Amino acid sequence: MSAMFEFAATLTGELPVRIINVSASGCLVESLRRMEVGTMGTLQLRLGGQDCTDDFEVVRCEAVQGVPNVYHVGVRLLWTRPRKVGSIRHAVASLVAERDGSETARLM
């Protein structure tokens, strides 16, 4: 007779999404699959010519009205890694600072 063991496990897979909106704290993405609130993963995207990665948690998932099998998914970026070059949070903050600096320069 075999003994039963309980181990933590992780199921991984890739799911292409379309970025609708991005900020330093989260993103709104469009997916062809429903995602459960609480789902965690890693988001990889190209932002400002730079490849960026951050871990996320799904905070909401809503079906798009009138479009079958399309969902808008709100994800919160997690602080599991430092906000440094290569993170989405760093890239967004850098782009905002760059934009704000250029707008200030035009106002002078």
Side-chain angles (χ1 to χ4, degrees):
M1 184 173 218
S2 66
M4 295 289 287
F5 296 99
E6 287 188 29
F7 295 101
T10 303
L11 178 63
T12 61
E14 290 188 16
L15 176 63
V17 295
R18 183 173 72 96
I19 304 294
I20 295 174
N21 194 343
V22 63
S23 74
S25 61
C27 299
L28 179 62
V29 300
E30 189 172 86
S31 170
L32 298 178
R33 285 198 341 216
R34 176 177 296 282
M35 297 178 73
E36 293 297 321
V37 171
T39 299
M40 298 176 134
T42 302
L43 179 63
Q44 297 174 324
L45 57 90
R46 188 161 191 80
L47 190 59
Q50 175 184 344
D51 290 327
C52 305
T53 302
D54 259 316
D55 295 327
F56 71 86
E57 178 181 15
V58 173
V59 294
R60 69 182 172 93
C61 181
E62 299 172 350
V64 175
Q65 292 288 326
V67 185
N69 300 317
V70 177
Y71 303 91
H72 283 175
V73 182
V75 301
R76 177 175 57 97
L77 298 177
L78 302 175
W79 289 74
T80 55
R81 309 168 198 223
R83 187 179 87 176
K84 62 179 185 173
V85 173
S87 74
I88 296 169
R89 293 170 289 128
H90 179 271
V92 169
S94 297
L95 289 171
V96 167
E98 183 180 298
R99 184 201 69 200
D100 289 349
S102 63
E103 287 177 2
T104 303
R106 278 188 254 134
L107 293 175
M108 292 181 172

